[in-house]
Structure formats: C-alpha cells, structure tokens
Amino acid sequence: MTKNTQQMLIDFHCHLDLYSDYESVLERTEMAQIYTLTMTTTPRAWKRNFALTHTKKYIRAALGLHPQVVDKCFEELSLWKHYLCETRYVGEVGLDASQRYYKSFDKQKYIFRNILEHCAAEGGKILSVHSTKCASTVLDMIEQYYQTDNGTIVLHWFSGNKYDMQRALSLGCYFSINSEMVKSNNGRNIISKLPLTHILTETDGPFVKINGKSVEPTDIPSIINSISQIKKENYDIIKSNIHRNFLAILE
Ligand code: MN
C-alpha cells in the first residue's frame, strides 16, 4: 500500500440520520472508508444515532443539543448530561444569533455554558461547535468555561472575521470547512489565512446542497479540491494535512 492510499478522507460534521435515504448514505460512506462524525441535534436522538453507527468502522456519532432547537428542547439538557459518559464526541452544540433564533439566545448561552463546563470537567471530549453570527460570543464562552487542554474544539462552518479566526487559533480551535464556506467571499478569505495545521473538512449534509442535491461524505474530495485552489496548494498536501490533523485530534 502506498502512503497516499493511507491518507483518508474526513467528514467531521454531518447529520447522517436526517437524510431521507440514510441507510444507503451510511452504507456508501462506510464502503468509501470516509471517517465521518455524524451529529445529533437533540439528546433524544442519541440512542438511535448510536445504534446506527456503533458497529461501523468509519462512522461515529456525536451527542448534541443544537442551538437552533434549544427553544423546544431546553429540558433535554439533563438527558445530554446523562449520555455524556457514553461518548467522547459532542455536537452539534454552540450558539446561533441569526434573526430566527435570537429570541432563544439567553437559553442557548445557558445550555452551551453547561455543555462546555461538563466537557471540560470530564476531559478528552471533541466538540463540533456552531457559531452563526456570534463567533466572538462563542469564543468568549470557550475562553471562560472551557478551561482545559484536555479536549478539542472544532469550529464548524466558521463565519467570523479574521480577528475571530486568530483568537480561535490562539485558543487551540480547529476549523471544519464545507462547500458553503468555499463559495462565500468571507469563507474564502478565512480559508486562505488558516494554517494547514488546523483545518478539517465537513459536508454538513443533508442541510448543505450542491445543485439542489444534499452533499454527503463521498463529496468531500470536491471540498478538498476547492481548498487546494484557494490555498494554491497541491490536493494531496491538503488531504494529508487534514488526515494528520484528524489523527492529532483523536490521539
Ligand atoms: Mn450541522
């Protein structure tokens, strides 16, 4: 086996349980040997997601409480705490300050603070964090409530500015890049400045679509291709850096 074939593809943030044909997407992902972290949006979905993934070699489920459903699922925080000892992967969690969800922002902060504090206390957790329109608040909270070196924060679909990006890097955060980021001007600007040592790839499927079709883990090569164009770096170099970062996080 050459070195190249050992560089695996990574989808560090998607929602495999939410595809209408989830069984075939799971099967294709496993067959293609793409290391995939699938989110749960509510703790209530954890058992099903765990059941769908725990026998797979390449797919793992993360335990989350999505900021966009905090208003409806606030009471599920206790369930999230109950399941936390069953996994090292946490997501999707974080904050969303966009207009539609801002009314629950105080509740979101309460939940996210609890999640950060519990993850820091248990140690060794790997978090996939949402930060739409509030990157600086998310970073404030990470700084304040996630006081540990024992664990990793991955900022998913980051849309903050370059100062937020620098601050996140100084806090040790990684960034998982998707096909929407490579399309937007701010996303391209951020990607061009991110060090190769702190990038990962994600699809955020089925929410993210390309030409009307939900992106899935097998589409990761096209995202690597876009990153390689933005960073003017060889495809294999981008791919191997992402694989190395993935291994470093899992260490
Ligand atoms: Mn997501």
Side-chain angles (χ1 to χ4, degrees):
M1 197 190 282
T2 67
K3 191 161 178 263
N4 247 0
T5 60
Q6 292 172 327
Q7 294 166 1
M8 310 295 283
L9 295 168
I10 315 295
D11 183 349
F12 212 75
H13 182 115
C14 65
H15 301 261
L16 292 183
D17 60 326
L18 301 181
Y19 290 81
S20 53
D21 57 340
Y22 67 89
E23 277 170 327
S24 46
V25 180
L26 277 156
E27 193 57 30
R28 277 198 291 278
T29 302
E30 184 78 354
M31 288 295 287
Q33 304 183 346
I34 298 167
Y35 283 111
T36 298
L37 189 59
T38 182
M39 303 293 118
T40 53
T41 44
T42 71
R44 212 181 284 273
W46 168 251
K47 280 210 170 299
R48 173 174 178 258
N49 263 356
F50 183 77
L52 286 174
T53 55
H54 78 109
T55 57
K56 305 283 193 246
K57 181 169 179 198
Y58 295 97
I59 308 171
R60 288 294 175 267
L63 169 66
L65 209 176
H66 197 300
Q68 294 177 350
V69 302
V70 156
D71 212 21
K72 277 187 215 146
C73 304
F74 188 76
E75 303 303 326
E76 289 187 46
L77 177 61
S78 55
L79 205 52
W80 181 89
K81 290 180 190 168
H82 175 74
Y83 290 134
L84 184 60
C85 61
E86 296 182 14
T87 181
R88 66 186 301 208
Y89 306 107
V90 173
E92 177 164 1
V93 296
L95 301 176
D96 192 317
S98 54
Q99 204 180 2
R100 190 167 163 202
Y101 303 105
Y102 194 71
K103 65 177 188 304
S104 69
F105 204 60
D106 285 338
K107 282 186 184 170
Q108 292 178 35
K109 284 196 279 192
Y110 178 88
I111 298 274
F112 189 45
R113 175 183 174 165
N114 264 272
I115 287 172
L116 289 171
E117 288 177 337
H118 277 78
C119 288
E122 279 205 19
K125 304 296 187 190
I126 298 164
L127 288 72
S128 184
V129 174
H130 177 114
S131 58
T132 301
K133 292 197 186 299
C134 55
S136 64
T137 309
V138 164
L139 296 172
D140 288 344
M141 291 188 68
I142 290 169
E143 203 168 52
Q144 203 173 351
Y145 304 120
Y146 191 74
Q147 291 170 342
T148 176
D149 293 329
N150 182 15
T152 305
I153 302 237
V154 180
L155 298 171
H156 121 81
W157 195 342
F158 182 75
S159 57
N161 61 36
K162 62 183 179 189
Y163 303 104
D164 299 323
M165 180 199 84
Q166 284 300 343
R167 197 176 152 213
L169 286 168
S170 71
L171 290 168
C173 298
Y174 286 76
F175 296 74
S176 55
I177 297 167
N178 66 27
S179 54
E180 289 295 319
M181 282 179 77
V182 303
K183 276 198 290 190
S184 81
N185 284 336
N186 184 59
R188 296 172 71 86
N189 190 30
I190 292 292
I191 293 163
S192 71
K193 293 183 169 63
L194 277 172
L196 292 179
T197 51
H198 282 73
I199 60 170
L200 293 163
T201 36
E202 63 163 66
T203 58
D204 203 12
F207 298 116
V208 169
K209 296 182 165 65
I210 295 179
N211 300 326
K213 183 184 172 293
S214 286
V215 186
E216 61 177 75
T218 48
D219 294 313
I220 286 291
S222 79
I223 300 170
I224 297 178
N225 201 31
S226 301
I227 296 170
S228 81
Q229 285 170 12
I230 293 166
K231 296 189 87 60
K232 299 185 175 59
E233 197 52 274
N234 179 281
Y235 177 96
D236 283 329
I237 289 179
I238 300 292
K239 183 182 175 188
S240 64
N241 272 275
I242 289 168
H243 185 225
R244 192 200 53 216
N245 297 340
F246 171 77
L247 295 176
I249 288 172
L250 259 60
E251 222 168 49

